[in-house]
Amino acid sequence: MGLILRGGTVVTALETYRADVRNDGEQIGMIAQHIEPTAADQVIDVTGKYLLPGGIDAHTHFDLPFGDMSTADDFESGSRSAVMGGTTTVIDFATQFRGETLTKALENWHDKARGKSYCDYGFHMAISEWKQGMTAQMEELVRKSGVTSFKLYMAYKGSMQVDDGVLFDVLRKSSEMGALVCLHCENGDVVNLLVQEAKAQGKAAPSTHPLTRPPAVEEEAVARAIALANMAKAPLYIVHLSTRGALETAERARQQGACVYIETCPQYLLLDDRRYEGESFESAKYVISPPLRSPEHGEALWEGIRRGAVDTIATDHCSFNYQGQKELGRNDFSKIPNGMPGVEHRLGLLYSAGVVPGKISLNQFVSLTATRPAQLFGIFPRKGTIAVGSDADIVLWDPQATKVISKVNHHCHVDYEPYEGFSQTGLPVHVFLRGRQIVRDGKLLDAAPGGRYLFRKPLK
């Protein structure tokens, strides 16, 4: 039996047009002005709705260990939140901890996700320790496992931070095998020094956190990373960019021929450093890295999005409960687990704050949230667009529907909501994953998770 979505407005990164869309099995089988149904077809009238490609969040951390605990959201709750917000694919960060092989790290993440994800998923591989023989492991991951992107950290000294020699070597090796390096850009040595100085002065409140990670530590790291990528003749994907200066640095490098891709997140567009004001521990909810910035940085990022300087908008969903997890740093800001939730509200926030006021077009909205992530991470045109032959990952978006975001109506396992009280215009009323309806009228239909692992293609 086929399914015909009748009378909606199809939106891709390039076009907006009225059409009927027919799903045949897991793929889109036909797009036309009018599709005549057979006796066996189901027809859904979607007049007045947008048909968007399912969102792709290329930056999540589900079930990530942190000391003796893990993030509040595992793949079950995190992916449930994702599909309820219109995201049908996530690319999570499988993480190699010190002493592990990359192969073992990937096995660990497969075990975490298998049979638990409501959306389709892929993995980046985060490297924390570089040893002899790891080039062969990288090649095996690209060729045999479909892991075509690797993440490194220039921050978190003593745990995840790698030195410039390792970064340069991984950039060279990745380029040779068609993989893309994703990079957390903060000068970890300087951050570590500022943290130690602040603690020696008796500063313990969460409000100290942004003072130890000023914009300059990101801007310097972005410039250094681009220089290393240029020497390695490698493309570079900068995750969660948060400052005007870093964006300007990346744009100048592009003008000089560098291959640099930029990701930012809703928190850097819609929240700012006033969340850290005062000495209340409540601001621990917003302890993330990079930290929230002053408003002018958000304004610069919006302008960069408008002119096409930003490639993707992801969430860096890394959720820790306020009670029992964030509270570990009540007497020491440096012990507050870094991260916040967001996977459920990415599309709604960007539509409300970007499309509705005219900052970006519908087509830019689709490009940022679906098409460009699919292209950069090796799943286009299977994902990221509405086209014949693509997976029937379709979100029926009601542009008139509204809600107020709150912890009482979100679907993640976190005990607070960073966007509490935000008004959202536009909602995903129906969501289809590979042709199967998994959300109807804002309610989850799947009794059990049905997401699949995605084998991704190299960048070249």
Side-chain angles (χ1 to χ4, degrees), residues 270-271 275 349 403-406 418-424:
L270 300 173
L271 304 173
R275 301 280 175 164
L349 290 168
K403 77 171 184 179
V404 176
I405 296 172
S406 172
Y419 301 102
E420 187 75 36
F422 274 59
S423 295
Q424 178 176 326

Side-chain angles (χ1 to χ4, degrees), residues 3 24 34 86 102 170 184 190-191 194-195 339 361 394 434 437:
L3 172 67
D24 287 327
H34 177 77
L102 302 184
V170 174
H184 178 130
V190 172
V191 169
L194 294 176
V195 167
S361 70
I394 299 175
R434 287 178 274 104
Q437 188 165 10

Side-chain angles (χ1 to χ4, degrees), residues 64-71 97 320 328 334-338:
L64 176 68
F66 180 84
D68 295 330
M69 61 185 181
S70 294
T71 49
F97 296 105
F320 293 98
L328 292 175
S334 69
K335 289 184 168 56
I336 299 170
N338 281 214

